[in-house]
Amino acid sequence: MTQDFGWIHLVPLLNGAWLTIQLCFFSLLIGGAIGIIVGLGAASKNKLANVLSSIYIRLVRGVPLLMIIFLIYFALPMLHIGINFSKGFSAVTALSIYAGAYLGEIVRGGIQSVPKGQFEAADALGMTTIQKFRHVIIPQAMKFIIPPGIGFFIALIKDSSLVSIIGYIDLTKAGKVVSSLTFNPIASFLAVAAVYFVLCFGLSKASYYYEKRFLRST
Amino acid sequence: MFRKKKSALLTLMMSLALLVTACSSETSSSPTQNTQSRLDKIIASKKIRIATYADSPGWSVLNASGEYEGFDPDIARKLAESLGAEIEFVTTDGVNRIPLLESDKVDVAISVFTPTNERAKSINFTIPYSAAGLVPMYPKNKPISSWDGVKGKKVSVSKGSTGDIALSKYYPEAQLVRFDSTADAFLALKTGKVDVFVEEDGIILDLLKKNQEFESLPGQPFQSSYIAMGVKKGDQEWLNYLNHFIRNLNYSGEGAELYKNRFGVDAPKLLTY
């Protein structure tokens, strides 16, 4: 009934890793878009945008990711209002909402780290708001946004293992499955750790390269 | 002043969100009437969604080629065959089995489900298709002489498993150490973190073959609980069909045969209905 741990068990682990990558990729895209909007809102002088953005950020950051996933997948259908999202949609939505709040906070911090004089200088040159952000503020804010942004993405890759609550077999869950199949948890989880390491190390390398290549000059 | 107002607003919104979810779980437990039975839906769509474990050795695991294998998937395939439907397996665990049923993500849970009275208040159970027989596993050089020997000892179990439930009830004096999976609970015994490991007889017998330094109590396993299928409340027609299917499975001896194939020991005796 139990099998010995072998190369064949890398197959479910890699399938799990692929799922993790897909979920994180789409969540980063959508979450990144939410993050930029929310971050701009939180940094703006507009009272309404400011309050709405801070409510979003505080609410989402105050609720565990596990609960967000659970509520979207299980609680919405129980309201009997005809909403019953699929696994994939629920997982990406939950991760995006979660990422949006954290990235929003990072974007806000990045924009507010740009010295006030730069805003005033852009205004003095008669730039429109869009021009001001496009040519002056965002390029300078990027160096405060990218490093913590990548840091958050690395954390998201690991946090995304929570999707196993809705029946997804991601990398971590695949490790549990293989460990139950082989009764060799040490080998199974070492393999899982190795795959996570490859993913996250690659990302931090890319982030390091980006900083060196593009951010030195500014 | 403004700050205070803002936090009050936030608290209000949070409590509102909590209220919404609280209400939702209440409405879900009331039976929904005048809806089409799952039985008709399955026959019409030729698709059945079944929740099962991916990491419960013997009962149900997802193997390296991505297929579910074990006693529960065997039963699930027989059930699907009887309905002429194709199976869509949904991976479950001890935490999300009931939510999966309540939120209508699956039609039936065939997932080593022990029909406790508590659980039967929120979902419906079929008649049992199997029963759990528990045995202890311990090192040869630190043996226990009977089940009473677990009292005061550190005992590892898988969280929410039949071993967990039975020991909590019959041997509260044992110091239970609960792990996420059976494999972790076994590792705790192997690394000397606990004195005894308690699991289903089929799993333990298999482990004993590969781990000669351990042994188990001779004789009959400790019969602790029935294993049944779980369905969402309020669909009596679907429940009738499943009960009927299980009655045939038990009486024909087919179920016992599947059990013997998977666990290598005789199936536990069930009451004949």
Side-chain angles (χ1 to χ4, degrees):
Chain A
M1 195 162 71
T2 58
Q3 314 165 356
D4 288 326
F5 187 84
W7 289 111
I8 184 158
H9 295 108
L10 281 182
V11 177
L13 292 184
L14 291 177
N15 281 337
W18 177 230
L19 179 81
T20 297
I21 292 170
Q22 283 174 307
L23 286 178
C24 290
F25 177 77
F26 289 115
S27 309
L28 188 76
L29 275 190
I30 303 168
I34 299 175
I36 290 170
I37 296 168
V38 169
L40 286 173
S44 85
K45 291 200 191 83
N46 185 321
K47 267 267 154 63
L48 183 70
N50 204 301
V51 168
L52 285 180
S53 303
S54 352
I55 286 181
Y56 176 81
I57 291 174
R58 284 182 200 184
L59 195 65
V60 174
R61 292 214 306 180
V63 177
L65 175 58
L66 186 70
M67 288 301 116
I68 304 179
I69 300 174
F70 203 86
L71 290 178
I72 292 179
Y73 189 69
F74 290 120
L76 287 181
M78 289 184 193
L79 290 173
H80 296 296
I81 45 175
I83 301 176
N84 206 339
F85 294 140
S86 70
K87 259 193 321 199
F89 188 84
S90 308
V92 171
T93 308
L95 289 172
S96 302
I97 289 175
Y98 175 75
Y102 281 85
L103 293 173
E105 191 70 348
I106 290 171
V107 170
R108 181 194 62 79
I111 292 171
Q112 289 180 344
S113 303
V114 176
K116 232 183 169 164
Q118 299 286 326
F119 287 87
E120 290 163 0
D123 287 337
L125 287 171
M127 286 184 170
T128 64
T129 310
I130 291 173
Q131 281 173 332
K132 180 170 75 180
F133 273 93
R134 187 161 164 227
H135 298 293
V136 181
I137 307 303
I138 296 293
Q140 296 186 75
M142 276 321 252
K143 90 176 145 190
F144 299 105
I145 292 174
I146 291 296
I150 299 274
F152 173 74
F153 189 44
I154 290 173
L156 183 70
I157 287 184
K158 290 178 276 189
D159 287 346
S160 71
S161 68
L162 290 172
V163 296
S164 68
I165 185 83
I166 59 174
Y168 257 132
I169 301 191
D170 75 307
L171 184 48
T172 303
K173 179 76 179 179
K176 282 187 192 163
V177 170
V178 169
S179 136
S180 305
L181 204 59
T182 58
F183 272 92
N184 193 343
I186 296 172
S188 311
F189 285 111
L190 274 180
V192 168
V195 179
Y196 270 121
F197 179 77
V198 169
L199 288 180
C200 297
F201 185 71
L203 269 175
S204 45
K205 263 287 188 222
S207 147
Y208 180 70
Y209 172 79
Y210 179 87
E211 281 172 51
K212 239 177 113 173
R213 176 85 172 68
F214 295 106
L215 297 182
R216 274 281 156 82
S217 52
T218 51
Chain B
M1 178 63 187
F2 179 63
R3 192 162 269 276
K4 236 183 192 169
K5 244 187 204 166
K6 209 153 89 177
S7 66
L9 189 72
L10 205 66
T11 322
L12 189 78
M13 284 190 61
M14 289 232 193
S15 36
L16 211 69
L18 282 178
L19 199 73
V20 166
T21 46
C23 292
S24 68
S25 50
E26 254 164 47
T27 48
S28 67
S29 52
S30 65
T32 41
Q33 255 140 37
N34 301 328
T35 45
Q36 194 192 6
S37 166
R38 268 177 198 74
L39 180 61
D40 299 329
K41 265 188 219 163
I42 291 163
I43 291 169
S45 67
K46 295 198 187 309
K47 274 204 182 100
I48 178 167
R49 300 164 302 163
I50 301 178
T52 196
Y53 273 82
D55 54 0
S56 179
W59 288 93
S60 178
V61 284
L62 192 61
N63 68 18
S65 43
E67 273 163 19
Y68 287 87
E69 64 174 42
F71 182 58
D72 277 346
D74 287 347
I75 302 268
R77 288 192 183 100
K78 283 255 179 271
L79 173 65
E81 196 186 309
S82 78
L83 290 158
E86 209 177 300
I87 308 181
E88 186 198 322
F89 280 118
V90 177
T91 310
T92 188
D93 54 38
V95 183
N96 68 14
R97 273 186 302 195
I98 292 179
L100 276 174
L101 288 168
E102 285 189 331
S103 60
D104 197 24
K105 302 284 183 187
V106 296
D107 298 313
V108 55
I110 308 183
S111 49
V112 212
F113 227 153
T114 305
T116 62
N117 296 341
E118 267 318 302
R119 285 173 182 163
K121 287 170 193 164
S122 46
I123 57 166
N124 286 155
F125 282 107
T126 63
I127 59 171
Y129 62 89
S130 189
L134 294 172
V135 288
M137 182 174 179
Y138 46 82
K140 276 181 182 160
N141 54 16
K142 264 171 76 192
I144 56 171
S145 51
S146 70
W147 272 101
D148 283 338
V150 300
K151 287 179 185 167
K153 289 249 168 74
K154 276 191 176 171
V155 184
S156 69
V157 290
S158 160
K159 214 184 281 168
S161 69
T162 45
D164 186 357
I165 295 165
L167 284 175
S168 311
K169 187 171 169 193
Y170 297 108
Y171 293 100
E173 304 92 341
Q175 301 173 41
L176 284 191
V177 188
R178 298 176 174 88
F179 290 90
D180 270 347
S181 74
T182 311
D184 295 343
F186 170 63
L187 189 71
L189 175 72
K190 211 170 173 181
T191 52
K193 303 260 192 269
V194 297
D195 308 305
V196 186
F197 161 55
V198 172
E199 248 309 334
E200 316 272 339
D201 45 359
I203 296 170
I204 299 259
L205 288 175
D206 192 59
L207 283 172
L208 284 175
K209 275 183 229 150
K210 288 181 183 169
N211 298 277
Q212 305 285 337
E213 69 271 36
F214 299 105
E215 63 180 1
S216 185
L217 287 176
Q220 276 296 305
F222 183 70
Q223 295 292 345
S224 66
S225 55
Y226 281 131
I227 304 289
M229 299 180 191
V231 294
K232 188 179 175 174
K233 256 190 178 179
D235 193 343
Q236 186 62 45
E237 215 175 302
W238 178 220
L239 192 61
N240 284 349
Y241 180 84
L242 290 170
N243 282 339
H244 171 81
F245 167 81
I246 293 169
R247 229 174 271 126
N248 282 342
L249 192 81
N250 290 344
Y251 193 69
S252 68
E254 240 179 325
E257 201 180 307
L258 289 175
Y259 188 93
K260 187 147 193 185
N261 279 346
R262 285 296 175 191
F263 294 102
V265 288
D266 282 328
K269 291 268 174 293
L270 295 168
L271 288 173
T272 318
Y273 289 86

